[in-house]
Amino acid sequence: MKQKAIILFSSGLDSTTVLYYAMSKGYDCHCLIFDYGQKHSKEVENAKKFAKSLKLNYHVVKTSIPWDMSSLINKDKKIPEHKQIKEGFVPSTYVPGRNTIFLSYAISYAETIKAKKIFLGINAVDFSSYPDCTPQYLKSMQQVMKALNNGIEICAPIEKYSKAQIIKLGTKLKVPYEKTWSCYNGKTKPCGKCDSCKLRAKGFKEAGIDDPALR
């Protein structure tokens, strides 16, 4: 019987690459998709469609962070379009506590179905300086697992990869990047202007590969 694994899945470039990585290692993947009050439903609907196409078990967790002023949630705040993504600058798209909330659900789910791995696509190289995507954060959460004595390991296989390295890995794993959604805006096509779109474009350019989502 395959070992069960929980995948924090948004259908973005990073989490999809991690999903395919886990599948390539033979895990029985169970996806957790989060509807946490995003201004658009594009990400959630795309993730559901993706999981269904792969015939994977998935749950959509509906929650809210009503006090947060992140531009991903607050309808009165515009998604920023930075000309340059500066290292150490935390943009308004940061949602305080988001990864910790997601991991709390993942721990509960993992303990319930007796999964021993939780995979997430956090990355600390080409990223938006979110404090819950750093090696320090990941190390601290690993200590939480030890304190809980549940035998669960948090796996972040692309943590130290550049976007180009992630894309090259995903290409080897045959990730259908044309089906992924990275844009912070929920329009028909990626905006190409938000930080997430720019980081994605940078990665494909450095990898020497055309982004199939833009064809």
Side-chain angles (χ1 to χ4, degrees):
M1 185 177 291
K2 289 184 177 181
Q3 187 178 6
K4 295 176 181 177
I6 310 300
I7 317 294
L8 301 187
F9 185 57
S10 69
S11 82
L13 187 150
D14 294 341
S15 70
T16 304
T17 303
V18 168
L19 170 61
Y20 272 72
Y21 173 84
M23 290 193 299
S24 75
K25 297 299 181 182
Y27 288 101
D28 174 14
C29 296
H30 296 248
C31 296
L32 274 184
I33 301 166
F34 292 90
D35 180 351
Y36 58 93
Q38 302 97 310
K39 287 191 287 191
H40 63 81
S41 61
K42 182 87 175 185
E43 176 184 296
V44 173
E45 293 305 317
N46 198 61
K48 286 165 58 179
K49 183 179 179 180
F50 215 125
K52 286 178 182 178
S53 71
L54 293 171
K55 298 181 179 179
L56 297 176
N57 290 301
Y58 72 89
H59 282 282
V60 177
V61 177
K62 190 172 180 61
T63 186
S64 66
I65 311 174
W67 51 81
D68 186 46
M69 296 297 288
S70 168
S71 56
L72 291 187
I73 298 173
N74 192 309
K75 294 181 180 180
D76 295 325
K77 284 195 171 185
K78 184 181 178 181
I79 299 294
E81 298 176 359
H82 297 116
K83 292 183 179 180
Q84 184 178 1
I85 301 170
K86 298 179 181 179
E87 186 177 348
F89 169 72
V90 180
S92 67
T93 49
Y94 171 59
V95 181
R98 182 177 62 176
N99 280 347
T100 307
I101 292 168
F102 290 179
L103 280 170
S104 295
Y105 277 103
I107 292 165
S108 176
Y109 189 23
E111 289 186 0
T112 300
I113 68 171
K114 294 180 170 50
K116 293 301 180 183
K117 304 281 186 180
I118 295 173
F119 283 89
L120 69 164
I122 65 172
N123 170 253
V125 180
D126 288 329
F127 76 128
S128 296
S129 298
Y130 295 165
D132 56 0
C133 290
T134 63
Q136 295 90 334
Y137 174 80
L138 182 62
K139 184 177 180 180
S140 295
M141 292 308 298
Q142 297 284 23
Q143 292 300 314
V144 171
M145 295 300 102
K146 289 183 180 180
L148 291 172
N149 195 30
N150 54 20
I152 297 171
E153 180 184 2
I154 298 175
C155 303
I158 62 170
E159 177 200 5
K160 297 180 181 179
Y161 281 30
S162 68
K163 274 289 188 288
Q165 290 174 319
I166 294 168
I167 290 164
K168 287 179 180 179
L169 170 63
T171 300
K172 288 181 181 179
L173 296 172
K174 300 188 184 306
V175 174
Y177 282 124
E178 69 276 7
K179 295 181 180 180
T180 61
W181 184 263
S182 300
C183 184
Y184 286 145
N185 291 290
K187 300 177 182 179
T188 305
K189 296 181 179 180
C191 71
K193 297 178 181 179
C194 69
D195 290 356
S196 186
C197 280
K198 287 180 178 177
L199 286 169
R200 178 177 175 128
K202 176 177 179 288
F204 274 101
K205 182 179 180 180
E206 291 178 353
I209 300 170
D210 290 333
D211 186 347
L214 301 179
R215 291 172 186 166

